Amino acid sequence: VSRSRNTFNPFASVGSFVIFAIIVLIYLYQSGFFDQFLKPSPSQPITPPPSAGGTIVPGAAGALPNMPQKPVAQQITFKGCPPEGDGSDVGLNRAKNRVDEGNYVPVSFDAVLGLKWPMTIERKDRVKWAAADTANIAQWEGIPIAVEGYLFDAKEEGPESPNCHGADTENHDFHVWMTQNAGEDRTKSIVIETTPRVRANKPTWTVKALDAIAKNKTRVRIGGWLMMDQEHPDQVDKTRGTIWEIHPIMRIEIQQGGNWTPL
Amino acid sequence: MKKAIQLKVTVWIEGEDEPAHNFAESSMQDIKDIISAGRWRHPGLSVTVKNVVEETDYDADDAGKPKPM
């Protein structure tokens, strides 16, 4: 008995179709076709913080206020980067990445510069802090404050974990040194930082603009959140006076003709 | 004469990654692999990667110190 070579074999046809379909699916998967269904698109609109809101509480600058009930920090995912960043100290990153406005209490420069911290927290991730140390820092961290002074310098930082190691300027913090007096060096400065999330609505907050303010020795009033950055104790008395920071900065005002003008 | 040297090398690594993925952790492992991969070109040298730490101290003008273990 001989078999015809031209006999139609439905199983072979179905098999060919299945193999073809698998090849097409693999190609589509590798080309990223399914990404739009499986994960958020990079072009997905972000939810930037409100540009308005927040006030300077009337009154003279003084001591840090006693504020047992602090505003609850609000965070957003910014360009796919969650408030926790992409690793390192998650608690610190969340503190850096808050975006909410507050009612900023005027405090003296010395009130921040002279605020103590336990040495046992230095260069230690927050989850490893002792409970007493956590409570100590929590007493002050998260107070919305406004401090007057002068800018020493501004510098764009590099890729960091709170910003998911983004490589571009739009994903970098701007590190600014604030001094009490014009022309002072930075050994007794307070570090204040702008973050990408807040800067998304502040197009005038550029390093160039901040440098010009520093160069012109224009008095500034900075509103933002008091925050402990335990990572940099080695810089104290060298390139900063304290590891308490205003971070993130929410308001930058410059003194012009006796009035405060937003940057 | 047998010689030895300890080098501090600053390496900039850049690439695509998911935003929330721990880039520092994977990059530190990758650089060890990259150095290991080049050893065959220099069989006369014994190369040991002793420490890989992310540089995060952008605040200061000088280089930062690694975190204590």
Side-chain angles (χ1 to χ4, degrees):
Chain A
V1 178
S2 65
R3 290 182 179 176
S4 168
R5 289 177 184 269
N6 296 324
T7 302
F8 174 72
N9 184 341
F11 295 105
S13 298
V14 170
S16 299
F17 175 77
V18 169
I19 291 169
F20 175 74
I22 289 172
I23 290 170
V24 169
L25 286 171
I26 290 172
Y27 172 78
L28 290 173
Y29 177 77
Q30 290 182 337
S31 67
F33 175 78
F34 294 114
D35 287 357
Q36 59 187 309
F37 308 113
L38 298 175
K39 56 191 175 187
S41 164
S43 61
Q44 187 178 17
I46 58 170
T47 311
S51 56
T55 58
I56 303 291
V57 176
L64 283 162
N66 181 27
M67 193 178 285
Q69 297 296 323
K70 299 181 184 64
V72 177
Q74 295 172 26
Q75 284 106 354
I76 57 167
T77 292
F78 180 70
K79 297 183 179 177
C81 183
E84 297 79 16
D86 72 347
S88 194
D89 189 336
V90 168
L92 177 60
N93 288 349
R94 287 187 65 86
K96 290 178 175 178
N97 280 335
R98 72 185 301 172
V99 294
D100 49 315
E101 289 276 10
N103 296 321
Y104 308 101
V105 181
V107 301
S108 69
F109 191 95
D110 282 337
V112 178
L113 186 64
L115 185 58
K116 306 293 185 192
W117 66 88
M119 287 182 66
T120 42
I121 66 167
E122 293 180 356
R123 301 189 75 82
K124 190 184 283 186
D125 286 353
R126 293 181 172 214
V127 292
K128 296 176 182 173
W129 289 2
D133 289 345
T134 301
N136 182 317
I137 297 303
Q139 183 181 356
W140 307 111
E141 187 172 68
I143 297 178
I145 60 171
V147 179
E148 293 182 28
Y150 297 86
L151 303 186
F152 173 84
D153 194 11
K155 181 180 176 184
E156 179 183 336
E157 300 203 351
E160 296 181 294
S161 66
N163 301 321
C164 293
H165 289 90
D168 304 317
T169 297
E170 63 186 15
N171 291 309
H172 294 168
D173 286 357
F174 293 167
H175 184 103
V176 187
W177 292 268
M178 185 186 191
T179 60
Q180 189 165 20
N181 304 299
E184 198 176 358
D185 72 24
R186 59 184 178 171
T187 53
K188 296 297 176 193
S189 65
I190 298 171
V191 166
I192 60 178
E193 299 211 24
T194 75
T195 61
R197 291 155 203 262
V198 174
R199 249 186 9 252
N201 282 325
K202 311 280 189 185
T204 56
W205 290 14
T206 62
V207 168
K208 190 177 177 183
L210 295 167
D211 277 343
I213 292 170
K215 186 180 177 184
N216 295 333
K217 296 182 171 54
T218 306
R219 191 165 178 81
V220 295
R221 183 166 67 179
I222 303 298
W225 298 99
L226 184 61
M227 194 209 76
M228 162 54 60
D229 188 348
Q230 77 274 11
E231 300 283 347
H232 306 293
D234 49 307
Q235 296 173 2
V236 174
D237 293 332
K238 296 173 185 169
T239 58
R240 62 164 73 196
T242 177
I243 51 176
W244 284 104
E245 299 181 352
I246 300 178
H247 193 156
I249 300 171
M250 302 303 297
R251 296 171 69 105
I252 301 174
E253 297 168 297
I254 55 177
Q255 198 168 51
Q256 288 181 326
N259 296 316
W260 291 110
T261 306
L263 175 63
Chain B
M1 180 185 180
K2 188 174 183 178
K3 294 187 178 184
I5 188 170
Q6 183 160 301
L7 301 174
K8 278 189 177 178
V9 182
T10 301
V11 181
W12 178 268
I13 299 180
E14 197 171 304
E16 293 295 322
D17 195 13
E18 291 299 314
H21 178 251
N22 193 324
F23 190 63
E25 191 175 88
S26 58
S27 296
M28 287 191 275
Q29 185 55 51
D30 291 344
I31 196 64
K32 289 178 185 173
D33 293 343
I34 290 166
I35 291 171
S36 294
R39 282 179 185 155
W40 68 272
R41 294 182 63 182
H42 305 276
L45 295 177
S46 169
V47 180
T48 306
V49 179
K50 290 192 170 183
N51 194 24
V52 181
V53 182
E54 181 186 8
E55 174 61 82
T56 58
D57 214 350
Y58 296 104
D59 302 0
D61 293 332
D62 53 345
K65 296 174 186 171
K67 273 187 178 181
M69 299 299 286

